[in-house]
Every structure is written in structure tokens, then in C-alpha cells.
Amino acid sequence: MAAVTPLTDNVSRPAPLMVDARGLHTHYGQSHVLQGVDLRIHRGETVCLMGRNGMGKTTTIRSILGLTRITAGTVSIAGRDMTRAQTHDIVASGIGYVPEGRGMFPSLTVRESLEMAARPGVDGRRDWTLERVLETFPRLAERINHKAGNLSGGEQQMVAIGRALMLNPDLLILDEATEGLAPLIRKEIWRVIAMVKETGIASLIVDKNVNALMRITDRSLIMVKGQVVYDGSSHELAGKPQLLQQHIGV
Amino acid sequence: MDLSLFLIQTLNGVQYGLLLFLIASGLTLIFGIMHIINLAHGALYMVGAYLAFWLTSLVGNLFLAIILALPIALMMGILIERFLIRHLYARAHLDQVLLTFGLILIFNALQSIIWGNDVHSVPVPEWLNHSVALTDNLRYPVYRLFISGVCITIAIGMYLLIQRTRLGMIVRAGADDREMVRSLGVNINRVYTLVFAAGTALAAFAGMIASPVSSVYPGMGESVLILAFVVVVIGGIGSIKGAFLGALLVGLTATWGTVLAPNFASAAVYALMAIVLLFKPRGLFA
């Protein structure tokens, strides 16, 4: 395993940790899904989690968020131990979550979906408002009073990301946010992810588009059978096609 | 049949329907959002009526009694959810039915121990204890009109709360996907406690406000419970709008059934339910 490469340069010290998950073990019944996963995300850092299907990427995210109970390990968010905390408390310490499958509320309109999530960030800032989300996704402005259940997949994805941003998070978690979308919509989503990065929000991204991930992320983790087999700079990983070929098949 | 009888029975039916709405709305919310089948909901209606009777006999005024009884009902809802219902969210409906049926038995036994098994009446407050002329030869009790007015006000308030407020959005979102609501930083357990307590208070309030016209007697919760379930099924599970329309339909059918076909009256609401389900298997607004 490559060494962890925090966000450092020669003059600054590493940014404090937003997520510090150590030795996560998770079981689904008899199957041992996570087998000692370590995952660290620094403030402002963009990290991707790669691996073939069923390797434990989504379970890692769910375990950090407390949606799936871990059987061993510890989770700290923004310096606070959250190992046994409830999901709503974990999320309230600065996480915006865009789940696989988008997690729409079909009976709520676009406006309601965004407004119900609105809250100031941990430090009280309100950078992300309804207006700013609609500026970011002009398409949603046109659909503002439509029921989320009646939107296209791409529009729903925009609602899911906008909703997560309405929480004014310090960390955005995107699980397969471009899955099954038309190329133009994907481009739109990647544009927004890049913009979010510019604003200094940390991200944890699970996606199949390795090229986009290599371009946008600072650090990459590769998971194989519930373990992290690579954790290092995305820039370096991009130069190791054999690793990508071996573990991800691209 | 003359016009005045028609008018009186229709007004009675509407008033009964609106009262049923208060009970059914809590039942449908608790089932729609928390997926809990609460058989004890009718018992809470009975408790409300007995509280009204008991407190009115102490303080001498129904409205003062209601003001005193509502916090008791809310507190009961909070305690029942916190200590009993909360353990049932992850369990099968049969477990929920068993526990809430047990609650009916407990409430009935408590009622018998505390208040005995007599039928009691609650006096209508003085200023509402008269009737108004609707036509030349038709007078109608003001208190019944008052009940309808209060129920309509609550229905409008509930509609606004659920459709227009952030809390309402969270409640509706919780009915769609509770894990996602949790993932957005909302303490869904608190929302559940609130919904259950509000539902309990509504059922108890219906019992309080109805006590002067229905009188107060053992087992009064059970018949109301069954009708409230019929309303929920007709309206579509989880739908407040459906509960409102369903309650009016059931109220009118039950009232008119008693007048037009007394032998068939008790079956009329079920026939109504069957007809609705024939055309709308998931209820009117599911």
C-alpha cells in the first residue's frame, strides 16, 4: 500500500482531518464486507474511492455515516469521535450526502426537496442558498414546482447534489453521481463537482469514470474485497496504468 | 321525507364525518409515516372523552377541561411512542397489532377501575347550549355546528402545516424515505414522537369535543376505531386529503344509512369501502 499523501506542500502543514476512519469492519449477516478499512479525508481535499462492484465502496460510505453498523473500528468526523453516533448527528457535523440511487422524495417538489434540507454549516455560514443552487443548476429553476418523482434522472441527480449543498457541508459525499446519465448531463455534474472543489469543500467521490476522477481528485483509494489496496496521490496513480488495469479493469 | 329532515341528517353526517377525520388523520399519518398500525387509537379517543367528563365535573366547564386534558393527551402520546412504539419500527405488523391491542385492554381496564362502567354525560357549555333556525320549521343545535367549525379549522391548519411548513416537508419526506431524511441530518425519531403525540392528541381531542353529543361510555373507542380504519382505507393510506374526503363519505353514509335503511346501516360503510376499492384499490388518494 502506498503511503498516505496528505494535502501538503513545502511550506504548509497538512490540513486537519475531516474524516478519520480507522480499521472499519462491517458484516452483512455472514459476509465480512469491510475488512479493516482506513480512510482519511483532510479539509478541502478531493478524494475518490475506486474498485469493482461489490468491493465495499458504498458500504464504506454507509459505515462512516452510521447507516450501516460497523463491527469494529473508529470513525471521527471533524475531530470528534462519531463511532457510535446516530446518522443525523454524524451528518450534522458537516457532511452532505448524495446517495447511490439519488434518494429522491417523489412526493416533494424540487423547491421543497431543497428547502427541507436547508441548514447553516457547522461554522454558521450560509453560502449555499436556494438561489445559489438554482444558479448552479439553471435547469432546476425551470422545474422548481415539479414533483421530484416526475423529473428525469439527470434532473433528480441535480436535486440530490443541490440538496446536499443546501446543508452547507464541509464534505460532500457523492456515490455514483453520474451513473446512468446522458453524456451532456455527466459533463454538467463534473463541472459542478469541480466548482465545489474550488470553493474549498472536501469531497469523497465514488464513480466509474476513472479519467474524470484522475483529473479532479487529489487522492485516490482503491478497494479490493473490503480492503484498501492503494491510497495515494491521484496524479501518481494516473501514471500507473497497470495498477488501474489490475484492480479496476481500465 | 321532507327537506328539514334531509338537511338535519346531512348536517349530522357532515359533523360526524368531520369528527371521524380528526381520528382518522392521526391514524393515517402514523401508519403512512411510521408504518405503525395503532389499534389503540380508538382507545385514545375514549380516554379523551373520559378526561373531558372527569375534568368537566371537577372544573365545571368543558373548554377549561379540554385545555387541561390536551397536555395530558400529548404527554401520553409522547410516553407511548418513546417507551413502547419505538421498539416496533423494525418489527412486523403482527407485533404492532399485538402490542397496540394490549394497550386497548389496558386502557379499557384502567377506564373501568378509575371511572367505572356507567354511561356518563357531559353538559354542553352554556353559551353553545341552544339552537339556531335554519329554516322556518327547522332548528339545529349550535354545539353540533360548533364541532364542525372546530374540525374544519383543524383540518385547514393541518393542511397548511403539512403542505407549507418545513416540518411538513420533513414529515412527507419521511413517508417517502426515512433513511434519506436521516442522511440529511434530521433526527427522525423526534419527528416520529411528534407525529405520534399529535395523532394521539387529535384522537383524544375528538373524544373530548364529541363527549356532550355522544355521551361517555365503556368501549366507545372500538366502534370509532373500526370506522377510522375504513376512512383510512377509503382515503388511501397516509393521505390527509384522502382521510378528509373519506371521513365525510363515511360520516354521511353512516348517518343516512341509519335513516334510510336501519337494518342495513351497519353494513353500509363497508359496502362503500368495497365500492371504492373496486375502482381505486389503493384508496382515493394513495
Side-chain angles (χ1 to χ4, degrees), chain A residues 107-219:
Chain A
S107 60
L108 266 60
T109 64
V110 171
R111 179 193 294 279
E112 290 171 340
S113 301
L114 297 171
E115 282 182 344
M116 63 87 60
R119 66 155 73 199
V122 173
D123 54 3
R125 71 184 190 291
R126 290 178 182 272
D127 295 345
W128 286 95
T129 56
L130 182 66
E131 291 71 34
R132 185 160 172 205
V133 168
L134 297 180
E135 265 169 42
T136 308
F137 297 109
R139 239 177 129 116
L140 292 186
E142 298 163 24
R143 300 274 192 274
I144 189 82
N145 290 320
H146 288 232
K147 289 262 158 72
N150 297 337
L151 302 179
S152 72
E155 290 161 348
Q156 288 190 348
Q157 196 63 63
M158 293 173 193
V159 171
I161 296 174
R163 187 176 62 185
L165 289 170
M166 291 291 283
L167 296 163
N168 286 291
D170 297 314
L171 167 70
L172 186 64
I173 298 182
L174 298 151
D175 194 353
E176 301 284 10
T178 66
E179 174 121 71
L181 301 182
L184 259 176
I185 308 281
R186 285 185 190 203
K187 221 174 131 187
E188 172 86 357
I189 303 283
W190 283 113
R191 174 185 69 81
V192 171
I193 295 173
M195 190 204 69
V196 166
K197 179 179 179 170
E198 289 301 308
T199 64
I201 299 175
S203 302
L204 174 63
I205 308 172
V206 170
D207 206 278
K208 299 216 163 47
N209 187 337
V210 175
N211 286 334
L213 288 175
M214 292 300 98
R215 217 170 33 241
I216 209 168
T217 60
D218 304 308
R219 191 153 57 84

Side-chain angles (χ1 to χ4, degrees), chain B residues 34 57 68-69 75 117 136 187 210 263:
Chain B
M34 299 153 69
S57 67
L68 294 172
M75 192 44 79
N117 291 324
D136 286 344
N187 185 346
N263 294 331

